[in-house]
Structure formats: structure tokens, C-alpha cells
Amino acid sequence: MTAVLRIAAFSDGNTGGNPAGVWIGDVLPDAARMQAIAADVGFSETAFAAPEGEDWRVRYFSPAMEVPFCGHATIALGAALAHRHGDRRFQLHLNEAVISVSGRRDGNTIAAALQSPPTRSAALDPSLRDQLLDLFGYAAADLDPKIPPAKIHAGADHAVLGLRSRAALARMAYDFAHGRTLMEQAGLVTIALVHVETPQLFHVRNAFAAGGVVEDPATGAAAAAFAGYLRDIGWPHGGAIDIVQGEDMGARSLIRAEIGEAGGSSIRVSGTARFMDA
């Protein structure tokens, strides 16, 4: 069996980032085997890739389930492919989309960028909003009216809640079992809690109970969906935003999202990746 690489995506240089497993082989294992490998690795996601002509067939598994798209595992995969095949762009065939990732070696780290699936967003149902506020112990007064609660999408569904203060973001906590049930019922992969520092700089935490993980230190898929949402609401993003995530976990991670003008179009999400010690 091919060894699983362990790569931290969206790192802050040679520290931080979100660990992902990367499995590359000639043929993908069956779904049950991939699920077992992902559970054994224990990271929030493991990407599985096998060549398909000149392109790559890719599937993503968390410890608890398969997910349709995972940004940080895609960045990690781009780093692994660039390390193996050289600096270039790789076409990826996912279960429900075709995307690309590029990798460029740069000393001890690898710079990687992905093009997300198309984005979309809609207002969050008020009853679900209230359930999410109750889950995290927030009140309506904690919400930032500049970022209305929404259901956002870029290959997978997420919810976003904007918070007025960094202190409210720092105290994020929730009952894991209840959160997982609620997310499964609502069809949410993650719940993004967001605080605005400037129009182009955001602090974010992502609950990922649906995937069997309390919190992700970096979430590229949710970053793409959030960037698409900002475009939808006419946010003054200036073409790109930067996201700082994982600080409250001691794993500072840096994500950049570049936003085109066309509504619903792909978001370019980039960062660095570092190979972790075995």
C-alpha cells in the first residue's frame, strides 16, 4: 500500500497550517479502504489521487465521511504532485467538479494554488441561524450586520456567521455531538465564524463536527465559498482577501483568496505547504 504523505497546508512559513494526508497511487482503493485509511491518519481530511490520462482522479475523506471537496487537502496534494512531477498545473477530476491545482517549489515549502468549483450563496434560514447561535452560545447582538448569516458554497455547503468582536471569535466552543447532528441535518460540511479586521483581512474559525473534527486550523473550501459570498453581497474586497485561521488553536494558518468579477465564478485560493516529519 502506498504510504500516506503528511503535509500541512496554508502554513505560516515553516510553522502552522492544517495537516492533511495525501495518498498517491496508480489506482484508487475502494471507498471503504480509503475511509479506513483516512480514519487511521486522523487528520481532518486525506486526499486520494490516481492518474487519469494526463489528469488526476481525486477523492477526499475525513475520519468520518467522504467530502466532495477539500481546499487544504487540495493544496497539500498540489505540493505533493509538484514535489514529484515538477512545478506546474494539475487538472483534478472530483466527484462533482473538475478543478485545478498548481505547485511551485520554494526552498523548504511549496507554494500552491487551486481554482475552486463555482460559488453560490443564499440567506441562512432564520431557524437554522438561531440553532447555530444556540450551539455556540452566541446572542443575536454578537452578529456583525455587515456579514449577514448565510449558506455558502464552493464545492460543498457551509454556513457563515459574522461576529462583531475578535473576543467573541476567541471564545468559540460547542457541544460536539449536538453540533455534528445539527450539521448533518442541515447538510453543512463546516460552520465558519468570521471577524472582520479590515475589508481585506479576516480572522476565521471553522467547526467541522460533520467530518469528525472539532475545528480546522485552515479551510480552503470554506475560504473559497466565503470569498464568493463577499462578491455576492458587494463587499469592497478589492479583488482579494486574506484569511488568518488557526491562531486560537496554536496553528496559525494563512489563506489568500482572489476574487474575479463574474458572479459565481471560481475563486483562486493559495498558500504555502510544508512537509511534516513522519
Side-chain angles (χ1 to χ4, degrees), residues 2-194:
T2 299
V4 177
L5 301 173
R6 288 162 168 78
I7 301 172
F10 300 117
S11 62
D12 183 5
N14 290 314
T15 63
N18 190 5
V22 176
W23 184 102
I24 300 173
D26 294 330
V27 178
L28 291 182
D30 62 37
R33 181 60 180 153
M34 288 189 282
Q35 184 65 78
I37 293 171
D40 182 62
V41 171
F43 294 157
S44 56
E45 271 102 3
T46 295
F48 296 82
E52 191 172 79
E54 295 297 316
D55 301 341
W56 294 84
R57 176 70 173 102
V58 179
R59 294 174 71 175
Y60 307 92
F61 286 79
S62 77
M65 66 177 186
E66 183 172 11
V67 296
F69 171 59
C70 172
H72 88 278
T74 301
I75 292 293
L77 174 61
L81 291 174
H83 182 74
R84 179 177 293 192
H85 299 287
D87 300 355
R88 62 183 180 90
R89 177 177 172 274
F90 304 91
Q91 191 92 336
L92 310 180
H93 294 255
L94 314 185
N95 286 353
E96 301 173 8
V98 178
I99 66 169
S100 66
V101 67
S102 60
R104 177 176 53 82
R105 291 163 292 185
D106 184 14
N108 293 329
T109 63
I110 295 180
L114 65 86
Q115 289 293 150
S116 78
T119 71
R120 62 176 183 265
S121 65
L124 198 64
D125 181 272
S127 64
L128 179 56
R129 176 203 61 204
D130 292 344
Q131 290 180 79
L132 295 182
L133 288 174
D134 183 65
L135 173 67
F136 293 107
Y138 294 129
D142 289 310
L143 294 177
D144 185 343
K146 299 189 299 296
I147 303 179
K151 190 172 186 178
I152 59 177
H153 181 95
D157 285 335
H158 311 263
V160 61
L161 298 177
L163 299 175
R164 287 180 183 270
S165 72
R166 182 66 179 86
L169 183 67
R171 70 173 189 265
M172 185 195 92
Y174 67 100
D175 180 88
F176 180 78
H178 179 48
R180 183 170 184 173
T181 298
L182 181 57
M183 293 171 72
E184 289 174 347
Q185 290 174 345
L188 301 174
V189 174
T190 78
I191 302 166
L193 304 179
V194 176

